[in-house]
Amino acid sequence: MASLARLRLVKRLPTTASPLQKLSVRSVQTSADTTQLHFKPDDLAKGEPITLRLHEDSFKTYNCDLPELEVQITRDELLQMYKEMQTMRRMEMAADALYKAKLIRGFCHLAIGQEAVSVGLEHGITKDDRVITAYRCHPFAVMRGGTIKGVIGELLGRQCGMSHGKGGSMHIFTPTFFGGNGIVGAQVPVGAGVGFAQKYRGEKNCTFALYGDGASNQGQAKLWNLPTIFVCENNKYGMGTSAARSSSNTEYYTRGDKIPGLQVNGMDIIATKRAAEYARKWAVDDEKGPLLIEFVTYRYGGHSMSDPGTTYRTREEVQRMRSTQDPIRGLQKYIEEWGVASEQELKALDKEAKAEVDQAVEEAKQSPEPKAVDLWTDIYYKGTEPPRMRGREREEVHVY
């Protein structure tokens, strides 16, 4: 009887999966080198664009159309993105070394391995758009108008820091970057507020509010068709817990309810750039309101400097990601195979990136620490300070 039941079950099952079934089991591509060259002009020096085609699995959608897979990009922008990713990684590696030398104290969360997100995002938006993120914020601060010296100086607690050495790793700002935020998920409603301000003022810009997969279970504010892009940087682990162990639905791009979503290969910078362009057009040009993007990426280090990152995953897993899906190596492979630049030219860019970071580190080290009088500055917006300010006790009064 049992054999007969199994036979009947087999007969009921379809021999081939339907297109819908095939679609449901496919996952987003996370390799860094699957984009194909379609057309390369004879003379790249003239600035004519190269035509590329992204892998068909670079994106998955939820209640929205698929981004165009054909991409046009110039040689100069490819090389610029390569150098910027190398520079961001060098900066984070320098911060790692300074922390281990006990020159950086407190919390420090690095984004080594996730460079394609910060650099690709910047190349897909405009200088007047806004970005706000969580504590893994150093590359965004530099890409949004800050400096490496300013970031390293802030981590060291020096006057040359972007917050004059008083904010630390999670409180770095520029006019268009609303900082890293240390409270889990707190930047999401703040990003919605920034988007509301842009809509209220009639600005043709949008805000990208980034958060990690570990913050995806936090609540979000009700939206008024705001030009706000909610971005989940899914690096597979929330602190020391894998996404599968902490969330019943790990397809974070589908969790916006009525907000459409887009899942993106966050290890391929061409795909992240295209996704940022798509999102900006969605919110600004087409005025469709908010969109939820999930960049599937990977962090090589632990959650923070106090986390070795190997107790909840194997060293082999990290090494496999480094060797097969690294975003910088992926772009390097594109550039060399497509004849955009030679290995020697890329090595020269690597050398420039290292020299830039090394110089910034040395200059930041030479900057003095904040003075006691600095405790009274930057509390109010410049020009709005009261003439007198009380300190810790009633008798402690500072006069401007």
Side-chain angles (χ1 to χ4, degrees):
M1 291 294 292
S3 299
L4 182 60
R6 283 196 297 270
L7 180 61
R8 287 173 177 170
L9 179 62
V10 169
K11 287 183 177 179
R12 289 194 192 111
L13 294 175
T15 55
T16 58
S18 67
L20 184 61
Q21 288 172 320
K22 289 180 181 178
L23 183 64
S24 65
V25 298
R26 284 163 59 178
S27 58
V28 71
Q29 176 68 248
T30 57
S31 294
D33 57 357
T34 54
T35 297
Q36 298 296 315
L37 175 66
H38 261 221
F39 171 75
K40 186 179 77 171
D42 295 331
D43 189 357
L44 290 174
K46 291 182 178 179
E48 294 182 43
I50 302 166
T51 303
L52 312 173
R53 185 172 180 81
L54 289 160
H55 192 282
E56 61 180 3
D57 292 334
S58 294
F59 308 106
K60 288 179 68 179
T61 63
Y62 171 73
N63 291 341
C64 64
D65 295 329
L66 198 70
E68 177 61 51
L69 296 178
E70 189 171 285
V71 178
Q72 288 195 325
I73 192 168
T74 64
R75 173 184 185 272
D76 289 346
E77 188 171 12
L78 282 171
L79 294 179
Q80 182 184 0
M81 292 193 300
Y82 175 81
K83 183 182 178 184
E84 287 170 348
M85 282 204 292
Q86 280 284 23
T87 304
M88 294 305 97
R89 180 166 295 184
R90 290 279 185 183
M91 177 182 71
E92 296 287 67
M93 291 169 63
D96 179 280
L98 290 167
Y99 193 97
K100 289 172 179 174
K102 298 184 178 180
L103 293 173
I104 295 175
R105 304 299 182 104
F107 290 102
C108 183
H109 306 80
L110 305 179
I112 298 172
Q114 300 180 208
E115 296 85 0
V117 175
S118 56
V119 177
L121 177 68
E122 186 62 31
H123 280 261
I125 64 179
T126 73
K127 296 298 181 184
D128 292 324
D129 291 322
R130 308 287 193 269
V131 175
I132 182 171
T133 188
Y135 31 70
R136 219 173 299 280
C137 65
H138 310 150
F140 294 101
V142 175
M143 298 305 299
R144 289 269 85 195
T147 64
I148 299 169
K149 177 182 176 181
V151 168
I152 296 296
E154 192 58 40
L155 298 182
L156 292 171
R158 305 300 173 90
Q159 289 183 19
C160 71
M162 288 172 62
S163 296
H164 308 303
K166 297 185 289 184
S169 175
M170 303 181 212
H171 301 92
I172 306 176
F173 307 88
T174 76
T176 58
F177 177 61
F178 285 65
N181 293 263
I183 304 300
V184 176
Q187 71 277 14
V188 175
V190 176
V194 177
F196 176 82
Q198 289 172 312
K199 182 174 183 178
Y200 185 81
R201 294 173 176 175
E203 298 176 4
K204 289 297 182 181
N205 296 105
C206 60
T207 294
F208 286 76
L210 295 99
Y211 57 96
D213 50 285
S216 61
N217 295 325
Q218 301 289 330
Q220 296 182 5
K222 182 180 179 180
L223 304 175
W224 293 352
N225 208 41
L226 303 178
T228 305
I229 313 301
F230 298 102
V231 182
C232 175
E233 284 188 276
N234 178 9
N235 58 22
K236 309 294 181 69
Y237 296 94
M239 295 189 72
T241 306
S242 67
R245 293 184 61 216
S246 61
S247 300
S248 59
N249 177 9
T250 58
E251 293 192 316
Y252 300 105
Y253 71 106
T254 67
R255 292 174 60 172
D257 192 12
K258 292 184 178 296
I259 304 175
L262 177 68
Q263 190 180 50
V264 183
N265 177 2
M267 301 303 275
D268 186 332
I269 193 167
I270 309 298
T272 62
K273 178 180 183 293
R274 166 58 82 209
E277 293 170 339
Y278 174 90
R280 190 180 190 283
K281 183 178 184 298
W282 174 282
V284 179
D285 299 336
D286 299 339
E287 297 184 349
K288 292 182 178 179
L291 181 71
L292 197 160
I293 293 182
E294 176 192 351
F295 287 120
V296 183
T297 182
Y298 196 84
R299 58 169 164 84
Y300 297 155
H303 173 70
S304 68
M305 288 300 297
S306 61
D307 169 23
T310 54
T311 57
Y312 46 87
R313 58 183 180 177
T314 63
R315 295 181 186 275
E316 289 74 22
E317 175 187 313
V318 179
Q319 185 55 41
R320 184 178 69 252
M321 292 297 296
R322 279 184 176 273
S323 60
T324 64
Q325 299 185 36
D326 183 77
I328 299 178
R329 287 189 182 183
L331 183 56
Q332 177 184 354
K333 183 179 178 182
Y334 289 157
I335 290 172
E336 291 181 2
E337 286 187 353
W338 299 339
V340 174
S342 66
E343 182 181 357
Q344 289 71 28
E345 289 175 297
L346 293 183
K347 284 184 177 179
L349 293 178
D350 297 344
K351 189 175 180 180
E352 289 177 18
K354 182 179 184 303
E356 183 180 354
V357 172
D358 289 347
Q359 180 180 347
V361 169
E362 290 307 312
E363 290 180 1
K365 284 182 177 179
Q366 299 304 315
S367 179
E369 295 181 354
K371 299 177 182 178
V373 70
D374 292 330
L375 290 170
W376 303 91
T377 61
D378 301 315
I379 299 172
Y380 291 86
Y381 186 76
K382 286 187 177 180
T384 68
E385 306 93 341
R388 299 164 65 86
M389 202 181 313
R390 205 190 89 176
R392 294 165 296 179
E393 300 174 0
R394 189 179 300 277
E395 295 76 19
E396 186 180 4
V397 177
H398 177 78
V399 179
Y400 271 96

